[in-house]
């Protein structure tokens, strides 16, 4: 964001309203999904849904921090370096987690479709939670590396200074640049190789399947949507370079270019998650609709009123 060339009030207001409304909508939807998961024990022993909840919680944290920082970049973008560093550590970890989680979910679907006899043994609940912990550990490592570089190149007093809270303001050494290149190369290679391998294997299984072709085809469609979501998420790695190129040719549209880049790479992929994993899943969608339907709410309200009346009658008869 260019601090010397601020948006007009109306444009800034429209952008912030769009981002905040989308952020609230995503987190409210994801909150309903998380509540549905915890209220129905049938999902607690299924590695597929456990991995999905990990993605949902990760997205909720990322969206909250991302939208908050976006709004504050207009209202009050300056923080103490220590505070900014703490926020960026969480944001960086959740950002790096997303492609790894998607890769893990693709592997789980590959095992379920291509090795169904081994799925129960390989994808146990205990192993699933271990994979989740490993995912968060791997996602945290790049953020930790950034902090270590800052500690090695800056005096301790730097963390007491007030800075513009933006990654490039805090992590601006050549060591950070080299770290970003290495980490992004490793992450992108691993995730895309995993996705391509699982897609090809599931595609071949779906093509050769006779008995459970519908399940294999559905898994193939899910992996395809994985790819679309992952492509949008991965665009965030190249967005700074695209912004630089586009802004060079269209400098008067600098603010609009950065806004669209943020919207496409950070917000839109999180809108796809409920469509891919919950609404398309008949089992999960059924529990969501039952739990949050107006009929259930009305019935529960009526039942509470009946229980209250029954309790009042008992109290009256006891007093008499």
């Amino acid at each position: 964001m260019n601090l010397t060339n601020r948006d007009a009030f109306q444009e800034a207001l429209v952008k912030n309203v769009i981002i905040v409304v989308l952020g609230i909508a995503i987190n409210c939807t994801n909150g309903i999904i998380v509540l549905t998961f915890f209220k129905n024990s049938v999902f607690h022993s299924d590695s597929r849904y456990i991995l999905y909840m990990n993605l949902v919680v990760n997205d909720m944290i990322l969206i909250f921090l991302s939208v908050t920082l976006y709004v504050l970049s207009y209202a009050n973008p300056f923080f103490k370096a220590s505070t900014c560093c703490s926020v960026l550590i969480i944001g960086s970890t959740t950002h790096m987690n997303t492609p790894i989680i998607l890769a893990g979910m693709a592997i789980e679907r590959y095992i379920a479709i291509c090795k169904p006899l081994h799925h129960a043994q390989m994808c146990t609940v205990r192993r699933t939670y271990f994979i989740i912990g490993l995912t968060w550990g791997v996602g945290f490592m790049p953020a930790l590396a950034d902090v270590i570089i800052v500690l090695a190149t800056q005096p301790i007093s730097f963390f007491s200074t007030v800075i513009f809270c933006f990654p490039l303001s805090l992590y601006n050494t050549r060591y950070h640049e080299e770290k970003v290149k290495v980490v992004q190369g490793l992450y992108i290679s691993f995730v895309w190789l995993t996705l391509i391998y699982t897609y090809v294997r599931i595609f071949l299984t779906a093509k050769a399947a006779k008995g459970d072709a519908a399940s294999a085809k559905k898994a193939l469609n899910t992996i395809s949507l994985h790819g679309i979501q992952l492509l949008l998420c991965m665009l965030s790695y190249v967005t700074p370079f695209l912004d630089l190129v586009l802004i060079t040719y269209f400098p008067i549209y600098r603010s609009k270019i950065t806004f669209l880049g943020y919207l496409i790479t950070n917000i839109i992929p999180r809108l796809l998650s409920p469509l891919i994993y919950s609404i398309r899943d008949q089992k999960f969608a059924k529990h969501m609709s039952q739990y949050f339907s107006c009929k259930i709410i009305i019935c529960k309200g009526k039942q509470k009123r009946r229980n209250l009346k029954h309790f009042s009658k008992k109290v009256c008869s006891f007093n008499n």
Side-chain angles (χ1 to χ4, degrees):
M1 185 177 176
N2 187 1
L3 293 176
T4 62
N5 186 21
R6 306 283 286 182
D7 293 337
F9 174 77
Q10 186 175 2
E11 181 180 351
L13 179 63
V14 170
K15 289 178 180 178
N16 279 272
V17 168
I18 291 173
I19 294 300
V20 170
V21 168
L22 289 176
I24 292 174
I26 293 171
N27 272 2
C28 285
T29 303
N30 285 341
I32 292 173
I33 292 170
V34 171
L35 191 57
T36 301
F37 173 81
F38 284 108
K39 286 290 185 178
N40 295 275
S41 59
V42 67
F43 301 120
H44 298 173
S45 58
D46 193 322
S47 59
R48 178 186 180 188
Y49 296 106
I50 296 173
L51 288 172
Y52 173 47
M53 284 307 108
N54 183 38
L55 177 66
V56 171
V57 172
N58 183 82
D59 282 353
M60 290 179 72
I61 298 171
L62 178 59
I63 285 293
F64 174 76
L65 286 176
S66 178
V67 171
T68 301
L69 285 176
Y70 187 87
V71 173
L72 289 176
S73 70
Y74 285 88
N76 182 23
F78 297 97
F79 293 85
K80 275 191 175 181
S82 57
T83 304
C84 181
C85 186
S86 301
V87 173
L88 291 182
I89 286 174
I90 302 173
S92 173
T93 301
T94 51
H95 176 70
M96 298 302 292
N97 276 351
T98 302
I100 305 174
I101 294 171
L102 291 173
M105 294 175 72
I107 293 173
E108 187 276 332
R109 285 294 83 199
Y110 158 73
I111 296 172
I113 298 302
C114 301
K115 301 181 181 294
L117 297 179
H118 300 88
H119 183 265
Q121 297 176 345
M122 297 176 68
C123 299
T124 63
V125 174
R126 185 175 180 179
R127 287 182 179 178
T128 302
Y129 281 113
F130 173 78
I131 293 297
I132 291 174
L134 183 63
T135 298
W136 281 85
V138 172
F140 175 70
M141 293 306 293
L144 180 61
D146 283 330
V147 176
I148 292 174
I149 294 173
V150 173
L151 289 171
T153 57
Q154 299 286 353
I156 296 297
S157 58
F158 170 76
F159 290 94
S160 300
T161 60
V162 177
I163 64 170
F164 174 50
C165 194
F166 191 72
L168 292 180
S169 299
L170 187 61
Y171 309 135
N172 53 12
T173 67
R174 63 183 181 87
Y175 302 106
H176 287 106
E177 293 179 3
E178 294 301 321
K179 188 231 69 172
V180 168
K181 292 177 183 177
V182 172
V183 169
Q184 289 186 1
L186 290 174
Y187 273 56
I188 291 174
S189 300
F190 167 75
V191 172
W192 278 109
L193 285 174
T194 300
L195 198 71
I196 292 171
Y197 176 78
T198 53
Y199 181 90
V200 171
R201 292 301 301 270
I202 291 175
F203 175 78
L204 295 175
T205 302
K207 192 174 181 180
K210 294 181 180 180
D212 198 16
S215 178
K217 185 177 180 181
K218 185 177 180 181
L220 185 64
N221 292 335
T222 300
I223 297 296
S224 301
L225 291 171
H226 266 13
I228 296 172
Q229 186 182 19
L230 190 59
L231 178 63
L232 291 173
C233 291
M234 287 297 187
L235 285 177
S236 61
Y237 293 118
V238 297
T239 297
F241 304 104
L242 291 176
D243 287 348
L244 183 62
V245 172
L246 292 174
I247 290 171
T248 302
Y249 288 99
F250 308 100
I252 61 174
Y253 298 112
R254 177 191 181 94
S255 179
K256 293 180 176 61
I257 291 171
T258 54
F259 170 73
L260 288 175
Y262 170 73
L263 189 67
I264 292 171
T265 60
N266 287 275
I267 301 298
I268 300 301
R270 275 80 201 178
L271 279 171
L272 293 178
S273 292
L275 172 64
I276 297 173
Y277 308 107
S278 56
I279 298 176
R280 288 180 66 249
D281 189 291
Q282 295 180 359
K283 181 179 178 181
F284 202 91
K286 180 181 177 182
H287 284 277
M288 280 183 65
S289 61
Q290 285 182 350
Y291 185 75
F292 292 98
S293 66
C294 295
K295 184 177 179 181
I296 294 295
I297 295 173
I298 292 171
C299 288
K300 285 184 176 180
K302 290 181 178 179
Q303 183 64 38
K304 286 182 179 179
R305 287 195 294 271
R306 283 197 295 266
N307 291 339
L308 184 60
K309 289 180 180 179
H310 184 65
F311 178 75
S312 300
K313 288 180 180 178
K314 280 188 174 182
V315 171
C316 292
S317 61
F318 177 77
N319 291 335
N320 293 332

